[in-house]
Amino acid sequence: MAGTDRYQHHDYYLMDELLSEEHLLAREAVRTWVKQEVSPIIEDFAERAECPHHLFKGLADIGAFGPSLPVEYGGGGLDEVAYGVIMQELERGDSGIRSMASVQGSLVMYPIFRFGSEEQRQKYLPKLGSGEYIGCFGLTEPDHGSNPGGMISTIKDAGDHFILNGAKMWITNSPVADIAVVWAKDDEGKIRGMIVEKGWEGFTAPEIHGKWSLRASITGELVFDNVKVPKENVFPEIRGLKGPLSCLSKARYGIAWGAIGAALDCYDSALRYSQEREQFGKPIGQFQLTQKKLAEMITEITKAQLLTWRLGNLANEGRATPAQISMAKRNNVNMALEIAREARQIHGGMGITNEYPIMRHMMNLETVLTYEGTHDIHLLITGMDVTGLNAFK
Ligand code: TGC
Ligand code: FAD
C-alpha cells in the first residue's frame, strides 16, 4: 500500500517526486484558491445554471490564464507541466471553471500570441491576461462541429476592411465576452482567423439555455450580419485549418490534465464515503465489490497521471504530437466519466444529491467528452496515426 493518509492515496506512484518546486507551488496556490473560492459556491451556481463571473478576476490573479505563455504577453511564463497541474486543480473544482481558463488562455490568448501581429498582441494580451477582457473562440458552426473545415462563415475583402457573415454555435463565454477569436473563409476559400470586438454593428452573441451539463459555464452563439472587420484585426499570416487546430492542441492538452482533477474529486469523495458509510454492520469499503471499484479507480487515475506527466515533458521539449494529445484527452476524459459513474454508485442514493460533487462532475464530463473533439473523433485521429489511413477523407 502506498501510504495511509488521504494525500498519498491520491498519489499512488509518488508522482509528486517528478514535479518541480515550481509545479508544486503552482498546484498548491490553485488548490487553495479552488477550496476557498469555488467549492463553497459551485453547487449553487450549477444548480441555478449561472456562471460565477466574479471568478474571472480571481482566475487571472492566480495565473490561470495562459500559464505557459510569456509574461510580457500576459502569460505566466511557466512550463507545460505547470499549465497542466493548474488545469487539474481547477477541474477538481468544476469543469466549467477550468473551461473559463482554457478558453481564455489556450483559445484566445494563445492564437493572438502565436498568429497575431505585434500590434494585436500589445492591444489585447495584457488585458486578457489580467482578466480585464474576457474572450471566446468561435470555430464550431450549427452544421459543422466535428468537421470545422466545412464551415460556411465568410469574410469578403471590401478594400480597407473585411465583411464577416455567418454564425457560430456552442461558444463558451460568448454572451459575456469582450472579444471573439473567429475563424471564417476568405474569398479564396481559405480559413482565416480574426479578432472581433463586442459592440461592432451586426455582431450579437445570444445565450444558449437548457444545458444539463457545464451549467456553471455560460455558452452562446456568435451571429455576424455584415460585420465590418478592420484589416488590422485579421491574423496576418496564418491560413487554413491548422490555425484553429493548433489552438485546440493546446487546449486539449490542458483538458487531459483537467479531467484527472474531476476524477480525483470523485475518487476522494467515494473513498471517504466508503470508510464512513456502514451497511450490514461494517463499512461499505470492506465489501469486495466496493474495493474493486476503488482499486480500479486509483489504477486508472495513476495510469492517466503517468500518461499526462510524460506528455507534459514531451510538450516542454516541443515534441508532443497532436495525435499524442488526442490519445490523452480521449483516455483521461473517458476515465474521469467512468470514475464519476462508479463513484455515484458507491454513494448510493446520496450520490444523486448536491451534498456530493459526483453528479455535477458526471454531467460536466459529458460535455468534456464531446467538446474539443469528440471521443470518437480522437479515436479516429489515433487510428489515422497508427495506420496511416485517413477515416475523414
Ligand atoms: P486535416 O486535413 O487533417 O488537417 C488540416 C490541417 O491542420 C493540421 N492539423 C493540426 N495542426 C495542429 N494541431 C492539430 N491538432 C491538428 N490536426 C490537424 C493538418 O496537419 C493540416 O495541415 P496542412 O498544413 O496540411 O494544411 O483536417 P480535416 O478537415 O480532415 O479534419 C481533421 C479532424 C476531423 C481531426 C479535425 O477537423 C478535428 O479535430 N475535428 C474536431 C473539431 C473540434 O475539436 N472542435 C472543437 C471546437 S472548440 C471547442 O470545442 C472549445 S470547448 C472550450 C471549452 O473548454 O469550454
Ligand atoms: P457532431 O459533429 O454533429 O457529431 C455528432 C456525433 O457524430 C458524435 O458522436 C461524433 O463523434 C459523430 N461523428 C461525427 N463525425 C464522425 C466521423 N467522421 N466518424 C465517426 N463519428 C463521427 N466550439 C467552439 O468552437 N468554441 C467553444 O468555445 C465551444 N464550447 C463548447 C461548449 C459546450 C458546452 C459544448 C457542448 C460544445 C462546445 N463547442 C465549442 C462545440 C464542440 O466542439 C462541438 O460540440 C464538438 O466538436 C462536436 O460537434 P457537434 O456537437 O456538432 O457534433
Side-chain angles (χ1 to χ4, degrees), residues 137 139-140 145-146 170-172 367 370-372 374 376 380 392:
F137 177 87
L139 179 65
T140 305
S146 296
W170 293 119
I171 308 304
T172 299
T367 285
T370 287
Y371 72 20
E372 300 268 6
T374 71
D376 285 344
L380 293 173
F392 302 111

Side-chain angles (χ1 to χ4, degrees), residues 320-334:
T321 67
Q324 287 169 334
I325 294 168
S326 282
M327 181 185 281
K329 189 270 183 184
R330 178 177 185 272
N331 180 78
N332 292 10
V333 176
N334 194 55

Side-chain angles (χ1 to χ4, degrees), residues 99 140 146 148 172 241-242 245 248-249 252 322 371-373 393:
S99 280
T140 305
S146 296
T172 299
L241 201 53
K242 66 175 179 292
L245 289 180
L248 295 185
S249 283
R252 290 166 176 172
Y371 72 20
E372 300 268 6
K393 306 283 187 203

